[in-house]
């Protein structure tokens, strides 16, 4: 376990890293602190809870993890959960979650995460650049909370960009008629499985964005204590981003359905063409089969088959069969069947 203490004193962000919880005792009485904890266990969390007076239910939520995105009002602090996503380049539609727990009190703010967080790193870099413009304790702690949620929401843009690229490539692949003709039943099953997985992941992203939107709605209306009113417009901006992302994601889900319908429509049209060609061939050979069957029958002596005793009878039969086939082909072409 390690934790990082950030303090905006002297108009610069002072950052110190610790590996021993004994160092926390001397920090409790200080103000304007952001303490970030990484890679903690149950014993560590129990001790942190005793030092800062954190409710056991909050400790349990942090240890269990995989919580919904929220802000909960406790007596001495606000407990928040934020989630961002990573884009895993090696696999499609697997977006690992970057879950961060936040405890905002009157003077300080604590954040917790299981592994190294790009969101926390982004918040740290932003604070370094903006620290000279921060005025007051409430502004600093509220700004840290705002930036955590802001960068969490912004991380969804890369995921949606990945979805957009997939939609473009999938549509291009579907419109490749050579590939469509060569596709087997297993290819259809694989494609449908791929689309279903994409829609399932997009649905999960939408749920997370909806939770972010609800939390930002609380923050932007100033209904949460310890959140500076000076940052209402900043939380409102994040709220607007959630709306934009949700609308974009909804359009992508509709486009995913369109891609699936397009594939089935093209494949159905391709199948219809094959069936039409087979029907034309079968229809042409139907009268020819009748003639060959008729003249191939054996009857008793004295039965007369037209042309059977004529030296040109065979050639006349072949010519008539060719003529019938040609007439049928011309008729089918005029009707647009071939």
């Amino acid at each position: 376990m390690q934790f990082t203490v950030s303090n905006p004193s002297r108009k610069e962000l002072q950052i110190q890293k610790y590996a021993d919880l004994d160092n926390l005792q001397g920090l409790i009485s200080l103000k304007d602190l952001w303490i970030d904890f990484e890679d903690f266990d149950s014993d560590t969390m129990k001790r942190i809870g005793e030092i800062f007076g954190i409710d056991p239910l909050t400790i349990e939520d942090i240890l269990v993890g995989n919580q919904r995105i929220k802000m909960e009002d406790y007596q001495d602090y606000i407990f928040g959960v934020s989630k961002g996503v990573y884009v895993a380049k090696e696999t499609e539609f697997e977006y690992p979650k970057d879950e961060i727990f936040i405890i905002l009190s009157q003077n300080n703010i604590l954040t917790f995460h299981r592994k190294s967080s790009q969101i926390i790193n982004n918040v740290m870099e932003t604070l370094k650049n903006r620290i000279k413009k921060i005025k007051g304790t409430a502004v600093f702690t509220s700004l840290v909370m705002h930036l955590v949620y802001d960068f969490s929401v912004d991380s969804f843009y890369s995921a949606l960009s990945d979805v957009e690229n997939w939609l473009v490539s999938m549509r291009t692949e579907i419109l490749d008629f050579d590939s469509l003709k060569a596709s087997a039943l297993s290819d259809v099953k694989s494609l449908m499985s791929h689309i279903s997985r994409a829609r399932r992941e997009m649905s999960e992203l939408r749920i997370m964005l909806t939770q972010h939107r609800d939390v930002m709605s609380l923050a932007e209306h100033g209904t949460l204590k310890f959140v500076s009113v000076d940052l209402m417009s900043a939380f409102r901006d994040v709220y607007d981003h959630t709306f934009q992302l949700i609308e974009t994601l909804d359009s992508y889900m509709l486009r995913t359905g369109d891609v699936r319908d397009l594939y089935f429509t093209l494949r159905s049209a391709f199948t219809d063409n094959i069936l039409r060609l087979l029907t034309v061939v079968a229809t042409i050979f139907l009268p020819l089969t009748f003639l060959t069957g008729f003249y191939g029958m054996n009857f008793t002596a004295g039965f007369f088959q037209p042309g059977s005793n004529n030296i040109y009878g065979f050639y006349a039969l072949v010519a008539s069969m060719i003529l019938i086939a040609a007439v049928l082909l011309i008729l089918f072409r005029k009707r647009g069947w071939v």
Side-chain angles (χ1 to χ4, degrees):
M1 193 280 302
Q2 63 179 6
F3 64 95
T4 304
V5 179
S6 303
N7 191 325
S9 62
R10 298 179 183 178
K11 293 304 177 182
E12 64 180 12
L13 191 66
Q14 297 180 346
I15 302 174
Q16 291 180 297
K17 294 183 178 294
Y18 300 92
D20 190 352
L21 288 180
D22 293 336
N23 293 290
L24 283 177
Q25 296 292 344
L27 301 175
I28 300 176
S29 59
L30 300 178
K31 297 182 179 181
D32 290 350
L33 291 186
W34 170 27
I35 307 177
D36 178 64
F37 296 91
E38 180 182 336
D39 191 23
F40 45 83
D41 54 25
S42 57
D43 293 335
T44 301
M45 284 304 306
K46 182 178 179 180
R47 188 174 176 189
I48 294 174
E50 293 173 351
I51 294 174
F52 289 96
I54 303 174
D55 191 284
L57 292 177
T58 301
I59 298 296
E60 181 181 356
D61 284 348
I62 296 175
L63 288 174
V64 173
N66 198 25
Q67 303 294 313
R68 66 179 179 86
I69 299 166
K70 60 184 179 180
M71 278 191 188
E72 293 180 341
D73 193 353
Y74 285 80
Q75 182 175 357
D76 299 322
Y77 59 88
I78 293 174
F79 175 54
V81 181
S82 180
K83 288 183 183 179
V85 293
Y86 296 111
V87 176
K89 296 298 183 181
E90 62 276 5
T91 55
E92 285 189 311
F93 295 112
E94 289 187 10
Y95 302 114
K97 309 304 183 290
D98 190 358
E99 187 175 36
I100 300 173
F101 303 95
I102 307 166
I103 295 179
L104 176 65
S105 63
Q106 184 173 2
N107 297 326
N108 302 314
I109 182 169
L110 313 179
T111 55
F112 303 84
H113 48 97
R114 288 287 184 181
K115 56 185 179 181
S116 178
S117 170
Q118 184 60 46
I119 292 174
I120 294 297
N121 295 336
N122 292 337
V123 173
M124 197 78 67
E125 290 299 320
T126 302
L127 286 175
K128 290 178 181 178
N129 297 328
R130 297 173 57 179
I131 200 65
K132 293 182 179 180
K133 300 179 182 180
I134 298 175
K135 298 179 180 180
T137 302
V139 174
F140 173 73
T141 55
S142 297
L143 179 60
V144 173
M145 172 173 274
H146 160 259
L147 289 176
V148 170
Y149 280 100
D150 188 20
F151 282 112
S152 296
V153 170
D154 287 348
S155 67
F156 285 83
Y157 282 103
S158 59
L160 265 61
S161 177
D162 186 61
V163 174
E164 167 72 15
N165 293 335
W166 175 82
L167 284 170
V168 173
S169 64
M170 183 60 64
R171 185 179 179 85
T172 303
E173 179 180 344
I174 288 176
L175 292 176
D176 183 358
F177 291 100
D178 292 335
S179 175
L180 184 66
K181 292 179 181 179
S183 61
L185 184 60
S186 59
D187 298 323
V188 178
K189 183 178 179 180
S190 176
L191 179 65
M192 291 303 101
S193 176
H194 195 55
I195 292 177
S196 297
R197 186 169 69 254
R199 291 177 64 87
R200 185 168 57 252
E201 189 66 29
M202 282 189 279
S203 178
E204 184 176 350
L205 292 177
R206 194 189 191 285
I207 291 173
M208 294 170 61
L209 284 170
T210 302
Q211 294 172 354
H212 269 297
R213 181 192 62 190
D214 295 341
V215 170
M216 292 302 99
S217 178
L218 291 175
E220 71 157 340
H221 288 98
T223 58
L224 297 172
K225 60 186 179 182
F226 309 135
V227 177
S228 174
V229 294
D230 295 336
L231 290 175
M232 293 302 101
S233 59
F235 281 105
R236 188 179 304 114
D237 182 64
V238 181
Y239 179 75
D240 291 339
H241 288 176
T242 61
F243 258 107
Q244 180 188 18
L245 287 166
I246 289 173
E247 290 174 351
T248 303
L249 194 53
D250 286 342
S251 70
Y252 286 172
M253 293 187 72
L254 290 175
R255 287 174 60 186
T256 305
D258 292 341
V259 167
R260 179 184 56 193
D261 295 341
L262 175 63
Y263 178 79
F264 279 124
T265 300
L266 292 177
R267 189 168 181 83
S268 177
F270 176 67
T271 304
D272 289 344
N273 282 334
I274 295 176
L275 293 176
R276 181 170 56 185
L277 177 62
L278 293 177
T279 302
V280 168
V281 172
T283 304
I284 291 174
F285 274 91
L286 183 63
L288 307 185
T289 304
F290 169 76
L291 292 176
T292 55
F294 178 78
Y295 279 91
M297 292 187 296
N298 297 318
F299 289 92
T300 58
F303 180 78
F304 175 71
Q305 292 171 310
S308 59
N309 293 325
N310 193 311
I311 190 173
Y312 299 108
F314 170 76
Y315 300 104
L317 177 63
V318 172
S320 63
M321 294 172 64
I322 295 174
L323 179 62
I324 291 173
V327 170
L328 288 175
L329 279 174
I330 293 173
L331 178 62
F332 292 156
R333 183 174 295 277
K334 285 185 176 180
R335 297 197 175 187
W337 293 353
V338 292

